[in-house]
């Protein structure tokens, strides 16, 4: 029984998701009407009624105490986890004990990450985010909420089934020769050909990668591109899996079924309509004449006009990703994502830079300047002290005046921004104004709002023009090129994605080893034997219940290791029944030399969950460790192992050390 809700300070529901059990409970509790056309709004009212006291209570505590509670349990043992992001309150609920409070917290932060990927800097302003999450048009709102619910369910499914989303790292297909060939193909043929075409509508391919289900076959970034963060890459894989879910279970298919499923070259492109009547071929069968009641026909025509149009499979999605340039770090920069299915389970993804993306960089720079000024004014620093450590008042004034002129030349509506900016200048820069004092705080807030309005006007998904994208036949040509490259490999790749690494190859050298997960936290890549736990197949973990039992043990120990890491422990050994578990986190330099062990800080309870998807904990950990290694590149690694409990402890620790050295080389396989 699960639920996730996003609300603003006015207790207005901006988004909610519930499973069937929670929905049934609400319907029973509030007597939701089951009449046609009445269920959805009535159910939303019931959700609002249920959560309104909690939301109002949180808002009151923040206003009066400056603090809020983060979790609580009800008498019927329902767990509630809450987190405030700016002006929005996220609430996650679990009533069947399937999810811990840490799981609910992680779900909230992942939902926040997905909204940032979809809406960008609009998420920094509560009023604008409300317009995005809760459009006035009911049909549009239902479509958006359906998409967000689907993304949340996709993430939950991946985290439950896929080891890479369990540890929040990307798994690569281990085939060095093919990976290297594909990277070279993406660089020298695909990306180069697209970027040199006159039909790219001003867009430039920055990143191109090939996924086999959730595993990465090849990844290429152009020289002009900043590196793609692991957080963004994991979020993009969720989006790809949501658009083209992996529905083929190779464990349950015979060889003949596998060949039939991947043999035909199917392109999901609608057939073109005939240009005129003369082009229609006559049929040999006699025509069928039907007489339809005019009223019935009118009703059918009306229903057809209300149907949601089928989305164009070649239309890109607008995504907002982190970017690093010579001028600095810029979060939530707009990109177009083209998700082109090669075959079921194999997907080509292109990330392009859009022509007016420099506007987003200017908006972020201006936002950062006003946020810094606002913080200093709140601290009581006024005049020159408020501007210390950042650009001078004169520099900000010159940059913003120039920026607004550029926006006007691009036919972007800036009247509100100009009015607010004029008001700010009159207060800050004229003799009759108050100067740089706390009285500027409302003006700073208004400036931030109007900058976000311009950002939304330029980059919101509904503002995407059909002409502003790679030409359809250019996308089809790219699709055909990759299919020709991989046509002889497709069946192998689909099987390899399910049998990437097997434990059999490790048992002779490490007797008693049941499973391991090795993660390079510097690059965000992981290596682990495949887990296949279907009831129809005998795998290395056994069959049916036994395989599920061991899988659940692994998932549980990952959660245990994270709890100890949260407290500052980098080594955990645990005996549980017939199994012995080990977890290690350590640091190395670029040459593979292991660096000395240090005490890492424990984290506060309200800290973001440990991982790389919602917040990159390991990047901050490496930065902390690097303080004493200024002249070295610090790498971070994790190893989790599961052994049979009868193996002596000294042999288990020896296995872990040897296994880490053995896995160090495969992690150096070229990927980018």
């Amino acid at each position: 029984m699960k639920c996730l809700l996003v609300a603003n300070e006015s207790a207005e529901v901006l988004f909610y998701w519930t499973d069937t059990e929670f929905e049934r409970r609400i319907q029973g509790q509030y007597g939701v009407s089951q009449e046609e056309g009445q269920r959805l709004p009535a159910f939303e009212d019931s959700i609002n009624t249920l959560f309104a006291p909690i939301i109002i209570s949180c808002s009151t505590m923040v206003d009066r105490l400056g603090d809020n509670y983060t979790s609580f349990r009800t008498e019927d043992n329902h767990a509630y986890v809450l987190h405030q992001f700016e002006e929005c309150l996220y609430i996650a609920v679990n009533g069947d004990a399937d999810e811990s409070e840490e799981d609910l917290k992680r779900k909230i932060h992942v939902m926040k990450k997905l909204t940032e990927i979809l809406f960008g800097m609009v998420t920094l302003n509560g009023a604008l985010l409300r317009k995005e999450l809760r459009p006035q048009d009911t049909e549009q709102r239902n479509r958006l909420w359906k998409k967000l619910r689907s993304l949340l369910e996709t993430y939950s499914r991946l985290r439950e089934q896929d080891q890479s989303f369990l540890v929040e790292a990307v798994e690569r297909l281990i085939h060095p020769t093919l990976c290297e060939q594909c990277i070279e193909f993406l660089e020298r043929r695909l990306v180069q050909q697209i970027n040199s075409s006159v039909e790219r509508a001003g867009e430039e391919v920055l990143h191109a990668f090939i996924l086999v289900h959730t595993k990465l076959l090849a990844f290429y970034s152009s020289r002009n591109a900043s590196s793609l963060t692991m957080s963004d890459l994991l979020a993009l894989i969720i989006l790809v899996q949501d658009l083209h879910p992996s529905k083929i279970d190779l464990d349950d298919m015979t060889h003949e079924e596998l060949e039939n499923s991947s043999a035909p070259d199917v392109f999901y492109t609608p057939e073109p309509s005939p240009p005129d009547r003369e082009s229609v071929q006559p049929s040999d069968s006699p025509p069928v004449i039907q007489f339809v009641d005019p009223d019935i026909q009118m009703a059918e025509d009306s229903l057809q006009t209300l149907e949601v149009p089928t989305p164009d499979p070649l239309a890109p999605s607008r995504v907002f990703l982190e970017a690093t340039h010579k001028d600095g770090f810029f979060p939530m920069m707009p990109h177009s994502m083209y998700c082109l299915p090669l075959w079921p389970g194999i997907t080509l993804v292109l990330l392009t830079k859009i022509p007016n993306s420099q506007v987003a960089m200017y908006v972020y720079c201006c936002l950062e300047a006003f946020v810094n000024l606002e913080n200093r004014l709140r601290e009581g620093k006024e005049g020159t002290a408020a501007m210390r450590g950042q650009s001078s008042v004169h520099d900000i004034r010159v940059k913003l005046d120039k920026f607004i002129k550029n926006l006007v030349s691009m036919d972007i509506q800036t009247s509100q921004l100009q009015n607010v900016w004029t008001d700010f200048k009159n207060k800050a820069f004229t003799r009759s104004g108050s100067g740089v004092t706390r009285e500027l705080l409302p003006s700073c807030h208004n400036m931030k709002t109007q900058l976000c309005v311009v950002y939304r006007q330029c980059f919101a998904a509904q503002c995407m023009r059909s002409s502003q994208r790679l030409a359809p036949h250019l996308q089809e040509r790219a699709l055909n090129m990759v299919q020709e490259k991989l046509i002889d490999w497709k069946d192998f790749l689909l099987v390899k994605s399910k049998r990437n690494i097997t434990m059999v190859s490790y048992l002779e050298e490490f007797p008693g080893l049941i499973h391991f997960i090795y993660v390079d936290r510097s690059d965000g890549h992981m290596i682990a034997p495949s887990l296949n736990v279907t009831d129809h197949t005998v795998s290395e973990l056994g069959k049916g219940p036994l395989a599920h039992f061991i899988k659940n043990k692994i998932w549980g120990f990952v959660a245990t290791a994270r709890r100890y890491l949260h407290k500052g422990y980098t080594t955990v050994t645990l005996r549980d029944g017939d199994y012995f578990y080990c977890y290690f986190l350590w640091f190395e330099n670029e040459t593979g030399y292991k660096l000395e062990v240090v005490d890492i800080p424990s984290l506060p309870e309200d800290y973001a969950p440990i991982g790389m998807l919602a917040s990159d904990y390991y990047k901050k950990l490496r930065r902390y460790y690097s303080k004493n290694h200024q002249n070295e590149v610090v790498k971070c690694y994790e190893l989790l192992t599961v052994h049979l409990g009868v193996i002596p402890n000294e042999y288990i620790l020896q296995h872990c050390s040897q296994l880490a050295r053995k896995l160090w080389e495969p992690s150096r396989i070229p990927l980018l």
Side-chain angles (χ1 to χ4, degrees), residues 533 544-554 579 581:
V533 293
L546 177 60
H548 281 286
F549 174 78
I550 296 176
K551 172 184 174 292
N552 291 337
K553 287 288 186 180
I554 294 169
Y579 305 99
Y581 303 88

Side-chain angles (χ1 to χ4, degrees), residues 403-404 407-408 412-419 454 457:
F403 176 52
I404 292 175
L407 292 177
V408 172
I412 297 174
Q413 296 294 327
T414 60
S415 57
Q416 288 294 325
L417 176 61
Q418 291 186 62
N419 292 338
V454 169
Q457 181 184 341

Side-chain angles (χ1 to χ4, degrees), residues 32 47 139 174 375 442 493 496 536 541 546 557 592 604 636 661:
V32 178
I47 285 283
E139 289 296 326
I174 305 299
N375 291 337
L493 290 173
K496 181 69 172 172
H536 308 286
L541 294 180
L546 177 60
F557 183 62
C636 179
R661 286 197 297 269

